[in-house]
Amino acid sequence: MPTLLLQSTKMVKACRFSTNKLMSRWKNLVGLNVNVGAFIGKYPHAFEIFTHPFSKNLCCKITEKFKVLIDEEENVVRECEVDAVKRVKKLLLLSKHGVLRVHALRLIRKELGLPEDFRDSILAKYSSEFRLVDLETLELVDRDDESLCVAKVEEWREVEYREKWLSKFETNYAFPIHLPTGFKIEKGFREELKNWQRVPYVKPYDRKEISRGLERFEKRVVAVIHELLSLTVEKMVEVERLAHFRKDLGIEVNVREVILKHPGIFYVSTKGSSQTLFLREAYSKGCLIEPNPIYNVRRKMLDLVLLKTRYSRMLLQREDETHREEKSRDVLISSNEDWEGGRDGDWVLPILGK
């Protein structure tokens, strides 16, 4: 739900304000499956609902507090451009042939911390790092950057080996396991898990021939998905969007089935209209263990959203004062300008250009 809210607020922000009638047409664009009026009414700290002074249509706009956070997020994304370039390069190194479809990148643009115009601001700008083969195919220029070919899980293994004095046999192919609270451990589960941790496989950035042995191949798929999640800003991605990377990343299996087999590594949230996959080890008590600037500003947005209607009385008092000031300004405007257009529907939008 917070993701849907953020998409809705950005669309409203783009046109400063919108009629509720027009917003109802955006439902499918943002994946909203409830009544728009009921939805925006739940979040008074994000949306301000008002009656337009001329058309008398019910409209809404972004609250000033939320608008500040959206602008802050856009600025932080721009400031973290170098990190975003590194993520794209690692994702290309993760692919089988050093190529990815731009459409797939566009789908997880937010997750990778890329700006809206990443095609021009990132892909075109860093032509020495990657190049567009055609309109929809991105190719890595140099695949020999060994410094980037280290998976996040391999860094964890090194720490485990060094600090816990575990043998290479125990750590070389292991993953951090954090079983959910209340998880029912059946007979033989611990032994199966221990054996699975020791199963060797071709690691994500290795370009060796991939074994088609079911267990080894499936473990590589787990490793690739683990690394993809590690590259995201919030260590999460929609399950549905993983399908767009299956061929390029060589994970052509039933991804959903693999994920559900490993509850100690992955967590699937079914809230809202989509399923979201989280990297379990990256979170503690609902928060990212190693936050970053983009996550921090998005967390501030989420905190504002989670307020819902709490403290809304004070908010309404401030809005009443603002409306009184705006009303006095509107009287001045209407006495000096002739407004054109009908009085019904979505005519209010053309006045934004005045």
Side-chain angles (χ1 to χ4, degrees):
M1 193 60 76
T3 302
L4 296 180
L5 179 66
L6 188 56
Q7 290 174 329
S8 303
T9 53
K10 286 188 174 180
M11 292 183 80
V12 176
K13 178 179 178 286
C15 56
R16 288 178 57 192
F17 71 88
S18 170
T19 62
N20 285 9
K21 182 179 177 181
L22 179 60
M23 281 196 72
S24 66
R25 298 176 190 171
W26 296 345
K27 282 176 64 174
N28 293 335
L29 292 176
V30 298
L32 196 62
N33 56 6
V34 295
N35 179 273
V36 170
F39 177 75
I40 62 179
K42 285 182 180 180
Y43 305 100
H45 293 277
F47 293 109
E48 180 185 338
I49 301 171
F50 65 98
T51 302
H52 194 272
F54 300 108
S55 70
K56 304 305 178 186
N57 284 337
L58 198 61
C59 302
C60 78
K61 63 182 179 180
I62 304 303
T63 62
E64 203 56 41
K65 189 180 287 188
F66 210 93
K67 180 179 178 296
V68 168
L69 290 176
I70 292 174
D71 291 339
E72 185 181 342
E73 185 205 15
E74 290 175 359
N75 292 333
V76 169
V77 166
R78 297 289 180 190
E79 290 168 4
C80 297
E81 185 178 285
V82 174
D83 292 331
V85 171
K86 183 179 175 181
R87 290 187 199 104
V88 174
K89 281 187 70 176
K90 284 180 75 74
L91 204 52
L92 282 163
L93 284 165
L94 203 61
S95 65
K96 287 197 299 183
H97 305 295
V99 297
L100 287 172
R101 284 170 294 167
V102 176
H103 174 65
L105 281 176
R106 191 179 296 116
L107 288 174
I108 63 166
R109 173 197 60 75
K110 178 178 175 290
E111 286 82 353
L112 292 174
L114 293 168
E116 294 277 356
D117 61 343
F118 76 94
R119 191 188 190 97
D120 297 319
S121 62
I122 300 291
L123 303 188
K125 181 179 177 181
Y126 291 90
S127 56
S128 61
E129 307 289 351
F130 25 67
R131 59 172 170 261
L132 285 165
V133 179
D134 52 48
L135 291 176
E136 278 300 315
T137 307
L138 184 67
E139 181 181 58
L140 189 64
V141 172
D142 181 13
R143 291 205 73 178
D144 295 323
D145 193 344
E146 296 296 329
S147 64
L148 293 179
C149 295
V150 179
K152 188 70 176 176
V153 70
E154 289 167 34
E155 294 176 4
W156 171 83
R157 288 169 188 155
E158 182 60 33
V159 173
E160 290 289 291
Y161 174 71
R162 189 178 63 251
E163 294 184 0
K164 295 188 178 179
W165 294 81
L166 298 175
S167 69
K168 278 285 186 184
F169 178 68
E170 296 292 338
T171 60
N172 206 22
Y173 299 104
F175 284 80
I177 304 294
H178 300 273
L179 294 170
T181 304
F183 181 79
K184 187 179 179 181
I185 299 176
E186 297 179 353
K187 186 179 179 181
F189 174 80
R190 292 187 187 280
E191 189 63 29
E192 285 179 16
L193 179 60
K194 189 175 182 180
N195 291 335
W196 184 84
Q197 290 279 57
R198 294 169 175 173
V199 171
Y201 68 96
V202 177
K203 295 178 182 179
Y205 294 103
D206 287 353
R207 293 193 287 275
K208 300 174 186 174
E209 186 177 340
I210 299 171
S211 168
R212 299 300 294 188
L214 184 61
E215 194 172 32
R216 294 186 179 198
F217 182 72
E218 192 176 279
K219 192 166 183 180
R220 176 183 163 81
V221 171
V222 170
V224 171
I225 297 172
H226 184 284
E227 182 64 4
L228 173 59
L229 286 170
S230 297
L231 291 176
T232 62
V233 170
E234 298 175 78
K235 315 308 176 194
M236 54 170 272
V237 72
E238 285 186 23
V239 175
E240 194 177 280
R241 292 179 180 177
L242 286 175
H244 296 271
F245 291 90
R246 288 173 74 246
K247 188 175 181 180
D248 289 335
L249 299 185
I251 52 175
E252 296 174 86
V253 294
N254 187 327
V255 173
R256 200 181 302 269
E257 188 178 301
V258 171
I259 290 165
L260 294 175
K261 274 186 182 180
H262 300 279
I265 300 174
F266 306 117
Y267 166 70
V268 180
S269 169
T270 55
K271 291 181 181 178
S273 60
S274 60
Q275 294 183 332
T276 306
L277 178 65
F278 289 82
L279 190 59
R280 192 177 284 278
E281 74 202 56
Y283 281 82
S284 177
K285 297 180 180 178
C287 295
L288 205 60
I289 295 171
E290 297 178 5
N292 54 72
I294 299 175
Y295 169 81
N296 286 338
V297 67
R298 288 178 182 170
R299 185 71 207 188
K300 284 192 276 187
M301 288 182 186
L302 179 60
D303 289 341
L304 199 60
V305 168
L306 293 177
L307 285 175
K308 290 192 175 180
T309 55
R310 281 176 287 176
Y311 310 116
S312 56
R313 184 175 295 178
M314 291 185 291
L315 195 67
L316 287 171
Q317 288 174 352
R318 288 197 297 270
E319 285 174 4
D320 286 340
E321 292 172 5
T322 305
H323 285 164
R324 282 196 292 271
E325 292 174 6
E326 288 178 350
K327 192 172 181 181
S328 62
R329 285 201 300 270
D330 290 338
V331 171
L332 284 171
I333 291 171
S334 60
S335 65
N336 292 315
E337 293 190 25
D338 293 324
W339 293 91
E340 297 179 357
R343 295 273 169 174
D344 202 14
D346 303 325
W347 74 272
V348 293
L349 291 179
I351 71 173
L352 300 178
K354 288 186 178 283

